[in-house]
Amino acid sequence: MLAKRGVNVAGVRSGNFWVGRQLRNGGMVLTGMKLPVPTLIKRYGREAVRKMYAASLDTIDCVEQIVREESIDCNFSRCGHLEVACKAGALRWLRGIRALVKARIQS
């Protein structure tokens, strides 16, 4: 993105370079925010958190677009992910996420 705006960029890695090896990253692009939804709603309000969650979904589209436009060979795929709750607090968190998803679909 910076290079498209005329900025000269370079990637630098500290430490030893291993001859013949490629640097790989098993990165993932996921939805959501780091803090629990109920905490975010208390701090910022439901509407702001709904917008934050929508932005997290939009970032996936952005990453996919960059991969496609730049022909990046990274095996990008939209295969979904599963989150499960093993404790009551995790269940409350997932219910908060579900409410945001429903609100986004309905808006």
Side-chain angles (χ1 to χ4, degrees), residues 82-93:
L82 175 67
E83 295 187 42
V84 297
C86 298
K87 296 182 179 180
L91 181 58
R92 284 191 297 276
W93 179 80

Side-chain angles (χ1 to χ4, degrees), residues 1 57-68 78:
M1 299 296 281
L57 297 177
D58 292 342
T59 60
I60 297 171
D61 294 335
C62 181
V63 169
E64 183 175 41
Q65 180 180 349
I66 292 168
V67 166
R68 185 176 53 253
R78 291 181 159 225

Side-chain angles (χ1 to χ4, degrees), residues 8-24:
N8 290 325
V9 296
V12 179
R13 180 181 182 266
S14 65
N16 296 328
F17 284 95
W18 291 35
V19 177
R21 298 237 177 194
Q22 294 180 352
L23 302 176
R24 298 270 178 189

Side-chain angles (χ1 to χ4, degrees), residues 27-42:
M28 294 178 281
V29 182
L30 301 174
T31 60
M33 288 84 59
K34 185 173 181 169
L35 294 175
V37 171
T39 301
L40 291 169
I41 290 173
K42 285 179 189 174

